[in-house]
Amino acid sequence: MVIAIGFEGSANKIGVGIVRDGEVLANERETYITPPGEGFLPKETAQHHRSRVLDILKRALDVSGIAPDEIDVVCYTKGPGMAPPLLAVAIVARTIAQIWNKPILGVNHCIGHIEMGRLITKAVNPTVLYVSGGNTQIISYACKRYRIFGETIDIAIGNCLDRFARIIHLSNDPSPGYNIEQMAKKGKNYVPLPYSVKGMDMSFSGILSFLEQKARPKRKQQKMQTKATEEEKWTDEDLCFSLQETLFAMLVETTERAMAHTGSAEVLIVGGVGCNVRLQEMMGIMCEERGAKLFATDERFCIDNGVMIAHAGWEMFRSGSRMAWNDATITQRFRTDEVEATWRDD
């Protein structure tokens, strides 16, 4: 029996999770929320994490009923992510490991999402669509590594959604992407947007620039209203709807192409954007047409959390992975395919 505790803080979520042999014992998390129209800056995000992490740790220990001396390994997010928040959480993990006299393991954030998704959904060997605020990747496992078949060549899909939410001043509570999803349900008119798929890769920055012209500034839009035809009139709800439909169609196309290449009959969606019901619907239609199966999780495990770091670290630890104290650092750039999946034998 191995019990692992995980600390996650690569972006605006700070979480602590505890697992015991694949069983989730605790999954405590808080979010740093900024005012509408504003993003979260690295320095302020790190300050938030430092102020909240010990309280979250206490809650996780209370919920799990686990004492520190029962824990076998302390895990933390090594990267990728924003440097100040990553460093703030890594320092806490190092300190806890030293106080408790436990080994420490740095976990790849992306691998944490994938392994947590596999645990919860019981997907065997899926084509993985990893969509979040900082990453957009289509991944498939082969020969001890998670291979990246396609990815964004500029900004991540979650970053695209978040930045558009700021343009139209949507609330950041509970998240910009969730509020865009709710507005999109009210959209009635599709506004044609640039569709930018380049082989297996995608580009989202041009779509955002195009939408920025449509949505801002409102005064200029009102002045031009007299010259506009009926077909050129749109609402923020229409733009949210059009943005989702276009972005998700690009993801479905590239994911299907990866499935065709690998012969996969499973798709697993992970990452914060994976909570979006419309994305799951569109991916589900494609899977049904191919005779494949779609796997996805809810917001407890899609959104960044500490338990996914604990579980990935648990997998690493029981397969023999160990980390020297000098290596217990962080890195903002830590690609998914850099990690050797020693815990997988297929």
Side-chain angles (χ1 to χ4, degrees):
M1 181 176 72
V2 175
I3 299 176
I5 186 168
F7 293 83
E8 156 59 25
S10 59
N12 67 329
K13 310 287 189 304
I14 172 70
V16 179
I18 301 174
V19 297
R20 178 177 56 205
D21 293 342
E23 177 189 2
V24 177
L25 301 180
N27 185 17
E28 298 298 310
R29 176 180 61 206
E30 290 185 12
T31 304
Y32 174 51
I33 297 175
T34 54
E38 296 182 17
F40 51 92
L41 299 174
K43 181 181 176 182
E44 286 76 9
T45 305
Q47 290 172 343
H48 169 267
H49 290 0
R50 283 195 295 269
S51 68
R52 299 302 306 147
V53 65
L54 292 182
D55 183 59
I56 298 171
L57 171 59
K58 291 175 185 175
R59 282 175 10 216
L61 291 171
D62 289 342
V63 168
S64 67
I66 297 294
D69 61 342
E70 297 178 81
I71 291 171
D72 297 293
V73 60
V74 175
C75 313
Y76 73 98
T77 302
K78 186 176 176 69
M82 299 164 62
L86 280 172
L87 186 58
V89 175
I91 289 172
V92 172
R94 284 173 60 104
T95 304
I96 292 296
Q98 288 177 323
I99 292 172
W100 293 351
N101 194 27
K102 305 293 181 182
I104 192 167
L105 277 178
V107 175
N108 181 288
H109 180 84
C110 315
I111 298 294
H113 274 297
I114 295 170
E115 293 304 331
M116 196 68 219
R118 291 181 64 228
L119 172 69
I120 298 300
T121 65
K122 308 303 180 190
V124 180
N125 190 24
T127 296
V128 179
L129 174 63
Y130 172 36
V131 279
S132 70
N135 298 275
T136 304
Q137 296 176 345
I138 295 109
I139 302 162
S140 185
Y141 172 81
C143 302
K144 293 290 184 183
R145 292 195 188 261
Y146 285 103
R147 313 287 175 173
I148 299 172
F149 274 70
E151 59 190 320
T152 174
I153 59 174
D154 39 51
I155 61 174
I157 185 169
N159 186 249
C160 179
L161 292 169
D162 290 353
R163 285 165 66 176
F164 181 65
R166 293 204 291 273
I167 290 170
I168 60 177
H169 288 273
L170 285 184
S171 171
N172 290 320
D173 188 10
S175 72
Y178 175 82
N179 293 325
I180 282 182
E181 181 182 1
Q182 303 316 305
M183 284 192 70
K185 294 175 182 177
K186 303 173 186 175
K188 295 187 174 41
N189 303 308
Y190 177 78
V191 180
L193 302 177
Y195 187 94
S196 189
V197 172
K198 303 174 185 294
M200 282 298 297
D201 295 328
M202 297 145 284
S203 173
F204 302 121
S205 59
I207 299 171
L208 184 64
S209 299
F210 183 85
L211 270 175
E212 191 171 6
Q213 300 300 316
K214 297 280 186 185
R216 188 178 77 177
K218 289 290 184 186
R219 291 193 198 91
K220 183 183 286 187
Q221 205 169 300
Q222 288 167 359
K223 287 179 183 177
M224 296 175 63
Q225 201 69 38
T226 53
K227 300 178 183 179
T229 65
E230 288 297 319
E231 297 168 337
E232 291 175 320
K233 294 179 182 178
W234 53 79
T235 64
D236 285 344
E237 287 81 1
D238 293 334
L239 295 179
C240 288
F241 166 72
S242 304
L243 178 61
Q244 278 200 166
E245 295 297 302
T246 304
L247 296 183
F248 296 165
M250 293 162 62
L251 295 177
V252 171
E253 177 191 339
T254 46
T255 302
E256 184 175 18
R257 194 175 293 126
M259 292 175 70
H261 182 81
T262 60
S264 173
E266 295 177 331
V267 173
L268 172 63
I269 305 178
V270 298
V273 182
C275 296
N276 190 294
V277 175
R278 180 55 183 158
L279 172 59
Q280 294 180 15
E281 287 176 356
M282 293 175 68
M283 195 66 69
I285 292 170
M286 182 272 288
C287 287
E288 186 177 353
E289 290 176 350
R290 292 186 63 86
K293 192 169 183 181
L294 174 65
F295 297 93
T297 62
D298 58 28
E299 68 279 355
R300 293 174 300 165
F301 304 111
C302 259
I303 298 170
D304 291 352
N305 59 84
V307 76
M308 73 183 196
I309 302 303
H311 177 65
W314 173 82
E315 292 275 23
M316 294 167 63
F317 187 76
R318 72 185 185 93
S319 68
S321 294
R322 299 294 184 268
M323 175 179 279
W325 278 102
N326 289 343
D327 296 328
T329 56
I330 62 157
T331 174
Q332 288 180 272
R333 292 182 173 86
F334 189 8
R335 285 182 63 82
T336 314
D337 51 9
E338 289 180 34
V339 179
E340 183 178 3
T342 55
W343 57 93
R344 292 193 60 165
D345 53 12
D346 50 348

